[in-house]
Amino acid sequence: MLDINFIPFPELETERLVLKRITLMEASTMYTLRSNVTAMQYIPRPLMQTLEDAQKHIQAVDDKINLNECINWGIYLKESGQMIGTIGYPHFQLDHSRSEIGYMILPEYNGKGYMTEALTKAVDYGFSTIKLHSIEALVNPENVGSRRVLEKCGFVKEGHLKENFFFNGIFLDTVIYSKLNK
């Protein structure tokens, strides 16, 4: 079984990005991200309604990080310091050396390669530091952009679950992608 510890919190860098811990100072950006209809289009979670929702979300994730139950980074542009998205491992299956990875980005930064860059770094951290054997991503089948990012990063489609998730009064499909640590 894996033994994970995120204290001190790992900060990661790529050519254009810094992946670092999100603080309450980023509540406004988190609210912008999670209240944006386009950014949340394929994420089956309610839109945030207030800045307080964002603050509570940041605190809840922070509490889980402190308990080593998950890890979540803000994605920041190196040049400006602007937070443009999030990426992290929200659910570990430590007995199986496996985790889910999830990510989102402000729509104006789509198509610029930022998420591919962040995902590559987060996957490398998951395999080399956490020592995961496999990483999975759960994707709405209509989210072509996310599927392309996963495929660019070496993930393969494992399956398509029909109507397995209930949200907003309808059943949604899920496509499962995964990558093995070879």
Side-chain angles (χ1 to χ4, degrees):
M1 182 160 102
L2 296 178
D3 182 30
I4 56 176
N5 184 358
F6 302 122
I7 300 171
F9 190 86
E11 192 168 292
L12 310 176
E13 282 192 37
T14 70
E15 182 182 333
R16 302 178 295 165
L17 305 170
V18 176
L19 308 182
K20 62 183 181 177
R21 196 166 193 162
I22 301 168
T23 68
L24 289 173
M25 299 291 290
E26 299 298 347
S28 177
T29 304
M30 183 64 74
Y31 171 73
T32 300
L33 181 64
R34 294 191 67 111
S35 66
N36 184 296
V37 174
T38 303
M40 294 292 291
Q41 180 178 5
Y42 300 114
I43 299 174
R45 301 283 183 269
L47 294 175
M48 286 187 175
Q49 301 297 312
T50 66
L51 187 61
E52 185 180 353
D53 290 343
Q55 293 166 335
K56 287 179 182 177
H57 175 76
I58 291 168
Q59 189 59 58
V61 171
D62 211 47
D63 290 345
K64 288 182 177 183
I65 292 169
N66 289 334
L67 294 171
N68 295 309
E69 293 176 358
C70 78
I71 187 165
N72 194 56
W73 293 273
I75 302 169
Y76 296 82
L77 295 175
K78 218 182 240 187
E79 194 172 287
S80 68
Q82 171 67 37
M83 184 176 134
I84 63 169
T86 65
I87 190 165
Y89 293 102
H91 304 108
F92 287 101
Q93 298 173 34
L94 297 178
D95 288 346
H96 304 290
S97 300
R98 186 172 177 91
S99 183
E100 177 186 344
I101 195 162
Y103 48 84
M104 60 188 310
I105 194 167
L106 288 165
E108 58 265 34
Y109 296 98
N110 279 334
K112 299 178 186 328
Y114 292 123
M115 193 52 71
T116 300
E117 198 171 316
L119 182 60
T120 299
K121 192 66 172 185
V123 166
D124 179 60
Y125 179 83
F127 287 153
S128 65
T129 303
I130 301 174
K131 304 296 185 201
L132 294 170
H133 175 69
S134 62
I135 299 170
E136 68 182 19
L138 308 176
V139 184
N140 182 309
E142 296 175 12
N143 191 345
V144 176
S146 184
R147 293 172 66 175
R148 283 187 187 137
V149 166
L150 290 164
E151 289 165 2
K152 280 184 202 171
C153 292
F155 282 73
V156 294
K157 181 179 173 182
E158 283 194 348
H160 186 132
L161 304 175
K162 298 284 190 179
E163 298 185 6
N164 70 307
F165 195 87
F166 189 74
F167 179 70
N168 273 351
I170 59 172
F171 286 96
L172 303 170
D173 289 6
T174 302
V175 176
I176 301 171
Y177 279 82
S178 75
K179 185 170 185 173
L180 297 177
N181 187 5
K182 296 284 187 180

